[in-house]
PDB file of all heavy atoms in Angstrom:
ATOM      1  N   ASP T 200     -94.356 -30.485-142.213  1.00 74.00           N
ATOM      2  CA  ASP T 200     -93.817 -31.306-143.294  1.00 74.00           C
ATOM      3  C   ASP T 200     -92.358 -30.929-143.527  1.00 74.00           C
ATOM      4  O   ASP T 200     -91.983 -29.752-143.473  1.00 74.00           O
ATOM      5  CB  ASP T 200     -94.618 -31.084-144.586  1.00 74.00           C
ATOM      6  CG  ASP T 200     -96.015 -31.694-144.501  1.00 74.00           C
ATOM      7  OD1 ASP T 200     -96.291 -32.396-143.501  1.00 74.00           O
ATOM      8  OD2 ASP T 200     -96.822 -31.457-145.420  1.00 74.00           O
ATOM      9  N   HIS T 201     -91.543 -31.944-143.773  1.00 69.00           N
ATOM     10  CA  HIS T 201     -90.103 -31.709-143.916  1.00 69.00           C
ATOM     11  C   HIS T 201     -89.832 -30.828-145.134  1.00 69.00           C
ATOM     12  O   HIS T 201     -90.287 -31.125-146.240  1.00 69.00           O
ATOM     13  CB  HIS T 201     -89.368 -33.046-144.073  1.00 69.00           C
ATOM     14  CG  HIS T 201     -87.917 -32.981-143.724  1.00 69.00           C
ATOM     15  ND1 HIS T 201     -87.023 -32.198-144.404  1.00 69.00           N
ATOM     16  CD2 HIS T 201     -87.202 -33.602-142.736  1.00 69.00           C
ATOM     17  CE1 HIS T 201     -85.813 -32.349-143.883  1.00 69.00           C
ATOM     18  NE2 HIS T 201     -85.904 -33.185-142.865  1.00 69.00           N
ATOM     19  N   PRO T 202     -89.077 -29.731-144.959  1.00 68.00           N
ATOM     20  CA  PRO T 202     -88.853 -28.810-146.088  1.00 68.00           C
ATOM     21  C   PRO T 202     -87.869 -29.336-147.128  1.00 68.00           C
ATOM     22  O   PRO T 202     -87.881 -28.887-148.273  1.00 68.00           O
ATOM     23  CB  PRO T 202     -88.302 -27.561-145.398  1.00 68.00           C
ATOM     24  CG  PRO T 202     -87.662 -28.062-144.147  1.00 68.00           C
ATOM     25  CD  PRO T 202     -88.490 -29.228-143.707  1.00 68.00           C
ATOM     26  N   PHE T 203     -86.990 -30.306-146.755  1.00 67.00           N
ATOM     27  CA  PHE T 203     -85.950 -30.751-147.680  1.00 67.00           C
ATOM     28  C   PHE T 203     -86.018 -32.245-147.992  1.00 67.00           C
ATOM     29  O   PHE T 203     -85.131 -32.789-148.622  1.00 67.00           O
ATOM     30  CB  PHE T 203     -84.566 -30.435-147.094  1.00 67.00           C
ATOM     31  CG  PHE T 203     -84.415 -29.007-146.657  1.00 67.00           C
ATOM     32  CD1 PHE T 203     -84.157 -28.699-145.328  1.00 67.00           C
ATOM     33  CD2 PHE T 203     -84.545 -27.972-147.561  1.00 67.00           C
ATOM     34  CE1 PHE T 203     -84.021 -27.387-144.915  1.00 67.00           C
ATOM     35  CE2 PHE T 203     -84.418 -26.656-147.163  1.00 67.00           C
ATOM     36  CZ  PHE T 203     -84.164 -26.359-145.835  1.00 67.00           C
ATOM     37  N   ASP T 204     -87.058 -32.888-147.531  1.00 65.00           N
ATOM     38  CA  ASP T 204     -87.196 -34.318-147.797  1.00 65.00           C
ATOM     39  C   ASP T 204     -88.673 -34.616-148.030  1.00 65.00           C
ATOM     40  O   ASP T 204     -89.530 -33.741-147.922  1.00 65.00           O
ATOM     41  CB  ASP T 204     -86.645 -35.139-146.632  1.00 65.00           C
ATOM     42  CG  ASP T 204     -85.995 -36.437-147.111  1.00 65.00           C
ATOM     43  OD1 ASP T 204     -86.444 -36.970-148.139  1.00 65.00           O
ATOM     44  OD2 ASP T 204     -85.047 -36.897-146.460  1.00 65.00           O
ATOM     45  N   SER T 205     -88.968 -35.874-148.311  1.00 72.00           N
ATOM     46  CA  SER T 205     -90.338 -36.229-148.692  1.00 72.00           C
ATOM     47  C   SER T 205     -91.227 -36.560-147.501  1.00 72.00           C
ATOM     48  O   SER T 205     -92.393 -36.900-147.683  1.00 72.00           O
ATOM     49  CB  SER T 205     -90.300 -37.444-149.636  1.00 72.00           C
ATOM     50  OG  SER T 205     -89.666 -38.544-149.001  1.00 72.00           O
ATOM     51  N   TRP T 206     -90.719 -36.448-146.261  1.00 78.00           N
ATOM     52  CA  TRP T 206     -91.499 -36.852-145.094  1.00 78.00           C
ATOM     53  C   TRP T 206     -92.476 -35.773-144.673  1.00 78.00           C
ATOM     54  O   TRP T 206     -92.158 -34.591-144.618  1.00 78.00           O
ATOM     55  CB  TRP T 206     -90.570 -37.185-143.913  1.00 78.00           C
ATOM     56  CG  TRP T 206     -89.354 -37.965-144.303  1.00 78.00           C
ATOM     57  CD1 TRP T 206     -88.064 -37.651-144.054  1.00 78.00           C
ATOM     58  CD2 TRP T 206     -89.329 -39.186-145.038  1.00 78.00           C
ATOM     59  NE1 TRP T 206     -87.219 -38.591-144.573  1.00 78.00           N
ATOM     60  CE2 TRP T 206     -87.979 -39.547-145.187  1.00 78.00           C
ATOM     61  CE3 TRP T 206     -90.305 -40.011-145.586  1.00 78.00           C
ATOM     62  CZ2 TRP T 206     -87.577 -40.701-145.852  1.00 78.00           C
ATOM     63  CZ3 TRP T 206     -89.907 -41.149-146.250  1.00 78.00           C
ATOM     64  CH2 TRP T 206     -88.574 -41.491-146.384  1.00 78.00           C
ATOM     65  N   SER T 207     -93.674 -36.206-144.330  1.00 85.00           N
ATOM     66  CA  SER T 207     -94.702 -35.279-143.859  1.00 85.00           C
ATOM     67  C   SER T 207     -94.854 -35.401-142.344  1.00 85.00           C
ATOM     68  O   SER T 207     -94.321 -36.323-141.722  1.00 85.00           O
ATOM     69  CB  SER T 207     -96.049 -35.588-144.527  1.00 85.00           C
ATOM     70  OG  SER T 207     -96.525 -36.855-144.096  1.00 85.00           O
ATOM     71  N   GLN T 208     -95.606 -34.483-141.770  1.00 88.00           N
ATOM     72  CA  GLN T 208     -95.842 -34.537-140.333  1.00 88.00           C
ATOM     73  C   GLN T 208     -96.647 -35.782-139.955  1.00 88.00           C
ATOM     74  O   GLN T 208     -96.430 -36.379-138.901  1.00 88.00           O
ATOM     75  CB  GLN T 208     -96.562 -33.267-139.863  1.00 88.00           C
ATOM     76  CG  GLN T 208     -96.582 -33.078-138.362  1.00 88.00           C
ATOM     77  CD  GLN T 208     -97.173 -31.746-137.946  1.00 88.00           C
ATOM     78  OE1 GLN T 208     -97.621 -30.957-138.789  1.00 88.00           O
ATOM     79  NE2 GLN T 208     -97.203 -31.474-136.648  1.00 88.00           N
ATOM     80  N   THR T 209     -97.562 -36.176-140.836  1.00 89.00           N
ATOM     81  CA  THR T 209     -98.321 -37.407-140.552  1.00 89.00           C
ATOM     82  C   THR T 209     -97.413 -38.627-140.596  1.00 89.00           C
ATOM     83  O   THR T 209     -97.600 -39.574-139.821  1.00 89.00           O
ATOM     84  CB  THR T 209     -99.485 -37.577-141.541  1.00 89.00           C
ATOM     85  OG1 THR T 209     -98.973 -37.520-142.885  1.00 89.00           O
ATOM     86  CG2 THR T 209    -100.537 -36.514-141.342  1.00 89.00           C
ATOM     87  N   ASP T 210     -96.405 -38.632-141.500  1.00 88.00           N
ATOM     88  CA  ASP T 210     -95.427 -39.722-141.524  1.00 88.00           C
ATOM     89  C   ASP T 210     -94.739 -39.836-140.165  1.00 88.00           C
ATOM     90  O   ASP T 210     -94.536 -40.937-139.641  1.00 88.00           O
ATOM     91  CB  ASP T 210     -94.366 -39.478-142.599  1.00 88.00           C
ATOM     92  CG  ASP T 210     -94.902 -39.656-144.005  1.00 88.00           C
ATOM     93  OD1 ASP T 210     -95.824 -40.467-144.189  1.00 88.00           O
ATOM     94  OD2 ASP T 210     -94.400 -38.977-144.920  1.00 88.00           O
ATOM     95  N   PHE T 211     -94.374 -38.686-139.618  1.00 90.00           N
ATOM     96  CA  PHE T 211     -93.685 -38.669-138.327  1.00 90.00           C
ATOM     97  C   PHE T 211     -94.549 -39.311-137.247  1.00 90.00           C
ATOM     98  O   PHE T 211     -94.081 -40.160-136.477  1.00 90.00           O
ATOM     99  CB  PHE T 211     -93.335 -37.232-137.935  1.00 90.00           C
ATOM    100  CG  PHE T 211     -92.588 -37.116-136.630  1.00 90.00           C
ATOM    101  CD1 PHE T 211     -91.207 -37.034-136.619  1.00 90.00           C
ATOM    102  CD2 PHE T 211     -93.261 -37.083-135.415  1.00 90.00           C
ATOM    103  CE1 PHE T 211     -90.507 -36.937-135.426  1.00 90.00           C
ATOM    104  CE2 PHE T 211     -92.582 -36.989-134.219  1.00 90.00           C
ATOM    105  CZ  PHE T 211     -91.198 -36.909-134.227  1.00 90.00           C
ATOM    106  N   PHE T 212     -95.826 -38.935-137.179  1.00 92.00           N
ATOM    107  CA  PHE T 212     -96.685 -39.449-136.115  1.00 92.00           C
ATOM    108  C   PHE T 212     -97.102 -40.901-136.358  1.00 92.00           C
ATOM    109  O   PHE T 212     -97.358 -41.634-135.399  1.00 92.00           O
ATOM    110  CB  PHE T 212     -97.890 -38.532-135.917  1.00 92.00           C
ATOM    111  CG  PHE T 212     -97.559 -37.324-135.092  1.00 92.00           C
ATOM    112  CD1 PHE T 212     -97.059 -36.175-135.678  1.00 92.00           C
ATOM    113  CD2 PHE T 212     -97.700 -37.348-133.710  1.00 92.00           C
ATOM    114  CE1 PHE T 212     -96.716 -35.070-134.915  1.00 92.00           C
ATOM    115  CE2 PHE T 212     -97.370 -36.250-132.937  1.00 92.00           C
ATOM    116  CZ  PHE T 212     -96.878 -35.101-133.534  1.00 92.00           C
ATOM    117  N   HIS T 213     -97.163 -41.317-137.632  1.00 92.00           N
ATOM    118  CA  HIS T 213     -97.367 -42.742-137.902  1.00 92.00           C
ATOM    119  C   HIS T 213     -96.196 -43.551-137.321  1.00 92.00           C
ATOM    120  O   HIS T 213     -96.401 -44.600-136.708  1.00 92.00           O
ATOM    121  CB  HIS T 213     -97.473 -43.001-139.406  1.00 92.00           C
ATOM    122  CG  HIS T 213     -98.817 -42.705-139.988  1.00 92.00           C
ATOM    123  ND1 HIS T 213     -99.973 -43.302-139.530  1.00 92.00           N
ATOM    124  CD2 HIS T 213     -99.199 -41.882-141.016  1.00 92.00           C
ATOM    125  CE1 HIS T 213    -101.010 -42.854-140.233  1.00 92.00           C
ATOM    126  NE2 HIS T 213    -100.569 -41.994-141.138  1.00 92.00           N
ATOM    127  N   MET T 214     -94.975 -43.050-137.513  1.00 92.00           N
ATOM    128  CA  MET T 214     -93.799 -43.722-136.970  1.00 92.00           C
ATOM    129  C   MET T 214     -93.779 -43.649-135.444  1.00 92.00           C
ATOM    130  O   MET T 214     -93.402 -44.610-134.758  1.00 92.00           O
ATOM    131  CB  MET T 214     -92.531 -43.084-137.545  1.00 92.00           C
ATOM    132  CG  MET T 214     -92.248 -43.441-138.990  1.00 92.00           C
ATOM    133  SD  MET T 214     -91.666 -45.144-139.194  1.00 92.00           S
ATOM    134  CE  MET T 214     -90.036 -45.023-138.484  1.00 92.00           C
ATOM    135  N   ALA T 215     -94.183 -42.495-134.900  1.00 92.00           N
ATOM    136  CA  ALA T 215     -94.145 -42.304-133.449  1.00 92.00           C
ATOM    137  C   ALA T 215     -95.042 -43.297-132.718  1.00 92.00           C
ATOM    138  O   ALA T 215     -94.785 -43.644-131.557  1.00 92.00           O
ATOM    139  CB  ALA T 215     -94.541 -40.876-133.092  1.00 92.00           C
ATOM    140  N   SER T 216     -96.070 -43.768-133.392  1.00 94.00           N
ATOM    141  CA  SER T 216     -97.004 -44.687-132.740  1.00 94.00           C
ATOM    142  C   SER T 216     -96.351 -46.014-132.355  1.00 94.00           C
ATOM    143  O   SER T 216     -96.801 -46.687-131.426  1.00 94.00           O
ATOM    144  CB  SER T 216     -98.210 -44.948-133.647  1.00 94.00           C
ATOM    145  OG  SER T 216     -99.017 -43.798-133.741  1.00 94.00           O
ATOM    146  N   PHE T 217     -95.290 -46.393-133.048  1.00 94.00           N
ATOM    147  CA  PHE T 217     -94.619 -47.646-132.708  1.00 94.00           C
ATOM    148  C   PHE T 217     -94.093 -47.630-131.276  1.00 94.00           C
ATOM    149  O   PHE T 217     -94.137 -48.639-130.575  1.00 94.00           O
ATOM    150  CB  PHE T 217     -93.467 -47.916-133.676  1.00 94.00           C
ATOM    151  CG  PHE T 217     -93.900 -48.362-135.042  1.00 94.00           C
ATOM    152  CD1 PHE T 217     -93.726 -47.532-136.142  1.00 94.00           C
ATOM    153  CD2 PHE T 217     -94.468 -49.611-135.227  1.00 94.00           C
ATOM    154  CE1 PHE T 217     -94.115 -47.936-137.404  1.00 94.00           C
ATOM    155  CE2 PHE T 217     -94.859 -50.032-136.497  1.00 94.00           C
ATOM    156  CZ  PHE T 217     -94.691 -49.184-137.584  1.00 94.00           C
ATOM    157  N   THR T 218     -93.582 -46.493-130.837  1.00 94.00           N
ATOM    158  CA  THR T 218     -92.938 -46.421-129.519  1.00 94.00           C
ATOM    159  C   THR T 218     -93.695 -45.520-128.544  1.00 94.00           C
ATOM    160  O   THR T 218     -93.215 -45.279-127.439  1.00 94.00           O
ATOM    161  CB  THR T 218     -91.496 -45.889-129.660  1.00 94.00           C
ATOM    162  OG1 THR T 218     -91.524 -44.586-130.267  1.00 94.00           O
ATOM    163  CG2 THR T 218     -90.656 -46.817-130.512  1.00 94.00           C
ATOM    164  N   TYR T 219     -94.865 -45.049-128.932  1.00 94.00           N
ATOM    165  CA  TYR T 219     -95.580 -44.077-128.098  1.00 94.00           C
ATOM    166  C   TYR T 219     -96.066 -44.687-126.783  1.00 94.00           C
ATOM    167  O   TYR T 219     -96.265 -43.980-125.794  1.00 94.00           O
ATOM    168  CB  TYR T 219     -96.772 -43.501-128.877  1.00 94.00           C
ATOM    169  CG  TYR T 219     -97.205 -42.138-128.385  1.00 94.00           C
ATOM    170  CD1 TYR T 219     -96.385 -41.030-128.587  1.00 94.00           C
ATOM    171  CD2 TYR T 219     -98.406 -41.957-127.727  1.00 94.00           C
ATOM    172  CE1 TYR T 219     -96.760 -39.774-128.144  1.00 94.00           C
ATOM    173  CE2 TYR T 219     -98.794 -40.705-127.277  1.00 94.00           C
ATOM    174  CZ  TYR T 219     -97.971 -39.616-127.492  1.00 94.00           C
ATOM    175  OH  TYR T 219     -98.339 -38.377-127.042  1.00 94.00           O
ATOM    176  N   GLY T 220     -96.235 -45.992-126.771  1.00 93.00           N
ATOM    177  CA  GLY T 220     -96.726 -46.648-125.560  1.00 93.00           C
ATOM    178  C   GLY T 220     -95.638 -47.058-124.593  1.00 93.00           C
ATOM    179  O   GLY T 220     -95.923 -47.690-123.572  1.00 93.00           O
ATOM    180  N   VAL T 221     -94.384 -46.706-124.884  1.00 93.00           N
ATOM    181  CA  VAL T 221     -93.289 -47.041-123.979  1.00 93.00           C
ATOM    182  C   VAL T 221     -93.326 -46.111-122.771  1.00 93.00           C
ATOM    183  O   VAL T 221     -93.355 -44.893-122.917  1.00 93.00           O
ATOM    184  CB  VAL T 221     -91.924 -46.922-124.686  1.00 93.00           C
ATOM    185  CG1 VAL T 221     -90.787 -47.147-123.687  1.00 93.00           C
ATOM    186  CG2 VAL T 221     -91.825 -47.923-125.824  1.00 93.00           C
ATOM    187  N   LYS T 222     -93.348 -46.686-121.599  1.00 91.00           N
ATOM    188  CA  LYS T 222     -93.347 -45.899-120.368  1.00 91.00           C
ATOM    189  C   LYS T 222     -92.096 -46.242-119.573  1.00 91.00           C
ATOM    190  O   LYS T 222     -91.936 -47.346-119.072  1.00 91.00           O
ATOM    191  CB  LYS T 222     -94.598 -46.196-119.528  1.00 91.00           C
ATOM    192  CG  LYS T 222     -94.665 -45.358-118.251  1.00 91.00           C
ATOM    193  CD  LYS T 222     -95.902 -45.694-117.434  1.00 91.00           C
ATOM    194  CE  LYS T 222     -95.949 -44.858-116.158  1.00 91.00           C
ATOM    195  NZ  LYS T 222     -97.135 -45.206-115.314  1.00 91.00           N
TER     196      LYS T 222
END
Side-chain angles (χ1 to χ4, degrees):
D200 289 353
H201 201 297
F203 308 118
D204 214 329
S205 59
W206 318 126
S207 66
Q208 193 174 2
T209 54
D210 288 330
F211 182 96
F212 280 87
H213 280 303
M214 286 287 289
S216 290
F217 286 111
T218 59
Y219 204 69
V221 175
K222 182 181 180 182

